[in-house]
Amino acid sequence: MITRLAGARKARTVALSWAGLRVVAIAAELGCRAKVVRWWLHRFNGLGLEGLDDRPITGRPRRLTEFERSRIIALVKQAPPGRPVRQEDGVLAPADGTGPPEWTLDALAGEAGRMGIAVGRSQVRRMLLAEGVCWRRTRSWTRSKDVDFEEQGRGSSACTPARPTARGSCAPTSSGR
């Protein structure tokens, strides 16, 4: 029976083991790790042929399809509809006054809702973090293109004091001898 199922990787693992190959050789033959081969062999030894069957998937199924997830992730790569663009006269004006000027989680969730995808901001955040997508942009007001602009130094303004450094405790932590 196992030789008839030998087309599947799990069944081939068992068949190669019966043929006398060691775990490392089976892993090299199948292109997987030795830990996976051991796992399938232990499962087969404990449950027989039923151990090679796939177990039912547990947990709640995903609410969004991969297509919907990719559409939300693709939004971040596009310019927001309200982002200011420089016009012919040099004035910055939003291309679309109704849209957000930058992508925030709320703006992304709202735009997804307009596309027909019901999703909350927390789910958008989890999705973008899982994919490693950065939705935050650097703020344009932190750097000036004006040649006469002087940076104030460290901190957000001259009147904001720098964070105080921690002082050492009065009691020594070692004997020092």
Side-chain angles (χ1 to χ4, degrees), residues 122-157:
S122 62
Q123 189 172 4
V124 171
R125 180 180 180 276
R126 284 192 306 268
M127 187 184 325
L128 295 176
L129 287 174
E131 294 293 326
V133 177
C134 182
W135 68 93
R136 301 178 200 118
R137 301 284 184 232
T138 57
R139 295 186 174 96
S140 60
W141 49 264
T142 59
R143 299 273 186 250
S144 176
K145 294 181 182 177
D146 186 6
V147 293
D148 296 330
F149 177 75
E150 287 187 35
E151 293 211 15
Q152 299 292 321
R154 197 177 138 180
S156 58
S157 69

Side-chain angles (χ1 to χ4, degrees), residues 7-62:
R9 179 180 283 193
K10 303 173 238 181
R12 284 192 60 209
T13 302
V14 175
L16 291 172
S17 174
W18 285 352
L21 271 74
R22 296 250 185 227
V23 171
V24 176
I26 295 171
E29 173 81 22
L30 298 177
C32 63
R33 293 181 299 154
K35 184 176 182 179
V36 174
V37 172
R38 281 189 203 94
W39 190 81
W40 281 114
L41 290 175
H42 285 292
R43 192 164 152 188
F44 176 76
N45 289 337
L47 300 173
L49 282 177
E50 293 173 4
L52 299 180
D53 289 337
D54 291 328
R55 291 184 177 167
I57 297 173
T58 59
R60 181 178 175 193
R62 285 190 167 182

Side-chain angles (χ1 to χ4, degrees), residues 67-143:
F67 179 69
E68 291 171 332
R69 291 171 60 88
S70 64
R71 286 181 65 192
I72 293 171
I73 292 168
L75 276 177
V76 177
K77 302 298 181 190
Q78 299 172 2
R83 176 171 282 166
V85 291
R86 196 164 301 278
Q87 298 180 353
E88 292 85 26
D89 58 354
V91 176
L92 284 174
D96 177 17
T98 61
E102 64 181 18
W103 287 127
T104 61
L105 293 174
D106 289 326
L108 287 167
E111 189 64 29
R114 282 187 280 286
M115 293 185 332
I117 304 170
V119 64
R121 72 185 302 275
S122 62
Q123 189 172 4
V124 171
R125 180 180 180 276
R126 284 192 306 268
M127 187 184 325
L128 295 176
L129 287 174
E131 294 293 326
V133 177
C134 182
W135 68 93
R136 301 178 200 118
R137 301 284 184 232
T138 57
R139 295 186 174 96
S140 60
W141 49 264
T142 59
R143 299 273 186 250

